[in-house]
Amino acid sequence: MCGIVGYTGPREAGPVLLDGLRRLEYRGYDSAGIALVTESGELFVEKRAGKVAVLTEALGDKPPRAGIGLGHTRWATHGRPSDLNAHPHTDCTGRITVVHNGIVENFRELRDELVAGGHTLKSETDTEVVAHLVEDAYKGDLADAVRAALGRLEGAYALVVMHRDEPERLVGARLNAPLIVGVGEGESFLASDAAAIVAYTKRVVFLDDGDVADLTPGMFTITDRAGTVVDRPIDIIPWSAEAAEKGGYAHFMLKEIHEQPDALTAAMTGRLRGESVCLEELDPIRERLAGIDRVEMIACGTAYYASLVGAALFQEWLGIPARSTVASEFRYSPPPIDSRTLVVAVSQSGETADTIAAARLAGDRGAVVVAVTNTVGSAITRESHASVFLQAGPEVAVAATKTFVTQVATLVMLAADVAHQFKRLSAEKERELVAALRRLPKQAERTIELAGPIEEIAARYADAAGFMYIGRSFGYPAALEGALKIKEISYLHAEGYAAGELKHGPISLLDADVPLVAVATRSAVYDKLISNLMEGKARDARVLAVATEGDTQIERLATDVCWVPDTLEPLSTILAVIPLQLFAYYVAVKRGRDVDQPRNLAKSVTVE
Ligand code: M6R
């Protein structure tokens, strides 16, 4: 949450920062600001409530000429979104500026202490205390002052600090919030993630917790908080700046839905060998995997729904208990965990605070932890003994789409790989699975083609009072995910329910204004699902069904049908969700919503 960018070098810093903020806006978008040390040595700050576009307009597209600066786009935690609470924040002297992502948990004590010491704090934010702590500690060396100030902070932070009197230097620091260094030719960057800077450099250093990065143009030093130099490798970002552009689509979400066939291909690249699944990333932990006797999956939101598929397959294929728990609840009632427990932490961003905390707890108790994430170098990978990457490319829309389908595909492969190691997956079953996985990208393409009429269908449902989504077995996670998509981007209430539970309460919500969306693809539970669909129909609810091509029965029963190709049941979640993503997209467009940046949300949730 919150996006940070910093630049020092020969370019005009203002446009570099604004460009970076636009690319980071999915991290939070309730206010934005930049600070520059101008060519004449002045500290210039402009910050506005609202999106980066509001800030850009306020600047008149002409920020003062400067070779150094920092910027921020905010998702508010402490202090409502306003011009005053927007970052950057400054100290009493007006020389020091700070941008921050995270929460300073002891900010009230620090604030009282600073005020008692004669400081004037202007905003309601936790961040502002950092500027004043650096002010107190400053003796002519910014990095020393930042390190001293960090010693006073409790909580989480990614920070960038700039001092007017050191006009080529930026100091960044991280603890439980992401920050990377961009290493350019004669120029240096700091950013929350690579999207902000990949247009300028692909060479990055992923900072570790406790790192302090000291940057001048083209040079950087990383130390720990005590000032001891630490070595960090330079990594290369594997995707281009264009990958994070809309590429002719009206919204990132629509582009990312259409990217799903390619994302699935990428997720499987190098992982299907002949007739077997093989995740090389697991090789270093094979011995430990051989001893597991239970599987716990932890995740939030969309990733949690994907993990339900993984848990079901681990249990079915390995024959050991496996379940999935929402990460924010996992810690309050942790299951028995020991060295024989495999914990799979699923997180697109790899930054979700709840998932990271749950993974840490599991690791502390001796579990073998595997991360499934889209983000190389992310915090979750540091909590894990092995990381399996989605390889889906950057996902910019706040509503997850291609990362859901690649999470499901990757978890299917993960469960199959471990089941293979356990010799619990017959060669025939594995062959059948691999063949179905190989067909999947083409089938995803076909699903998008089959969804041609969805815009029109969505228009007919866009005035609904709410929606009920139902599914059974592997259709259930698709129903949950479909309902979440509608909620997130159209702001309509939607419930995702296990179809069999409909009659235990929520059926009372159904009427002519509350349609039923039924995931009714071919499966062992098809007939039961049809009974549930009929129960809805009998209550006057319109029924939108997702069904398998060639199903002649469903056409007679449902009001509208979205078709998907036939596949193995565990993979049906992937195809079934695609029309539901498109349905949510077009309902939201019809209702005039901000599809890519829906209200109150942020792409990565780095607070608990
Ligand atoms: O980055 P993560 O996968 O850990 O994020 C978890 C959720 O915050 C995320 O899936 C959220 O539910 C999405 N916005 C859903 O579209």
Side-chain angles (χ1 to χ4, degrees), residues 524-543:
V525 293
Y526 175 82
D527 289 339
K528 287 198 193 316
L529 199 285
I530 292 297
S531 306
N532 304 132
L533 183 156
M534 296 305 290
E535 289 157 15
K537 212 174 135 124
R539 270 81 187 172
D540 291 335
R542 285 178 287 168
V543 177

Side-chain angles (χ1 to χ4, degrees), residues 323-344:
R323 66 174 177 175
S324 187
T325 309
V326 168
S328 55
E329 288 296 317
F330 185 81
R331 281 178 296 158
Y332 305 130
S333 174
I337 294 173
D338 59 26
S339 60
R340 294 170 69 85
T341 314
L342 167 63
V343 170
V344 182

Side-chain angles (χ1 to χ4, degrees), residues 300-303 346-350 352 355 398-400 407 484-485 488 603 605:
C300 300
T302 286
V346 189
S347 172
Q348 174 277 132
S349 62
T352 300
T355 311
V398 164
Q407 275 164 354
L484 180 64
K485 292 299 88 137
E488 276 187 298
K603 181 77 180 159
V605 185

Side-chain angles (χ1 to χ4, degrees), residues 406-422:
T406 50
Q407 275 164 354
V408 175
T410 305
L411 291 169
V412 170
M413 291 188 286
L414 179 64
D417 178 299
V418 181
H420 177 105
Q421 184 183 339
F422 268 57

Side-chain angles (χ1 to χ4, degrees), residues 138-153:
Y138 189 73
K139 308 254 169 352
D141 185 302
L142 185 60
D144 283 347
V146 170
R147 280 187 284 263
L150 295 179
R152 304 293 318 281
L153 304 182

